[in-house]
């Protein structure tokens, strides 16, 4: 004996569709309640990821790279221009094929360490010619909240807080 269809429950596909729709609604609700805070965190995490990627480019290309921060953006260039990839400034990001310039979302500001951060050919963070001796901090501000990205001396490991 079989139960009618309306007594059999929901299929897995129906449940997955409902969960996808609900997760999308939750995402939109969270972004609209505190967009500045969420965007500041997202931008700080992107800066952290970009600093790690730039360090890897310096190692891979055997070139010193410089990260220059401005109030609303940051860019990457070679310390000493030369052959590719240092034949253009800013350098071309191999992942996108575009110049390595990142503009922050509107309403966000970036405060850097007061100097351009360099990664030498060994991936070590430098301030000009000298290795940095203390943490280097970038601050992304938006929506009344500040998020920091810290670059550790010697290793150059970047972390977002």
């Amino acid at each position: 004996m079989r139960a009618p269809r309306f007594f059999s429950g929901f299929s897995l596909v129906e449940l997955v569709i409902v969960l996808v729709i609900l997760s999308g609604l939750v995402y939109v609700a969270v972004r609209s309640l505190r967009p500045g805070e969420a965007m500041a965190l997202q931008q700080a995490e992107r800066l952290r990821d970009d600093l790690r990627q730039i360090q890897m480019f310096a190692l891979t290309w055997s070139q010193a790279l410089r990260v220059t921060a401005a109030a609303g953006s940051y860019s990457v260039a070679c310390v000493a221009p030369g052959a590719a990839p240092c034949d253009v400034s800013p350098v071309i990001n191999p992942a996108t094929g575009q110049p390595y310039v990142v503009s922050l979302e509107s309403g966000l500001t970036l405060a850097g360490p007061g100097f351009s951060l360099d990664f030498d050919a060994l991936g070590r963070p430098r301030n000009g010619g000298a290795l940095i001796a203390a943490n280097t901090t970038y601050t992304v501000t938006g929506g009344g909240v500040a998020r920091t990205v810290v670059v550790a001396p010697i290793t150059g490991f970047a972390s977002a807080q």
Side-chain angles (χ1 to χ4, degrees), residues 30-85:
V30 168
R31 291 275 305 201
S32 66
L33 291 176
R34 297 182 182 229
E37 292 179 28
M39 288 182 352
L41 176 61
Q42 182 180 19
Q43 191 66 55
E45 290 173 347
R46 177 169 184 197
L47 175 59
R48 176 204 58 204
D49 294 343
D50 284 345
L51 288 170
R52 290 178 182 173
Q53 183 181 41
I54 293 161
Q55 184 181 31
M56 292 310 301
F57 287 158
L59 285 164
T60 304
W61 296 341
S62 297
Q63 294 286 335
L65 296 177
R66 175 168 290 149
V67 179
T68 305
S73 66
Y74 55 94
S75 62
V76 181
C78 288
V79 172

Side-chain angles (χ1 to χ4, degrees), residues 76-146:
V76 181
C78 288
V79 172
C86 295
D87 55 346
V88 294
S89 184
V91 296
I92 302 298
N93 183 346
T96 64
Q98 301 297 316
Y100 211 131
V101 177
V102 177
S103 298
L104 276 63
E105 298 280 335
S106 66
L108 298 178
T109 58
L110 176 65
F115 58 87
S116 294
L117 179 66
D118 297 344
F119 287 100
D120 66 12
L122 298 176
R124 300 175 299 185
R126 294 182 168 269
N127 176 4
L131 291 171
I132 61 171
N135 287 342
T136 300
T137 303
Y138 292 89
T139 305
V140 179
T141 307
V145 68

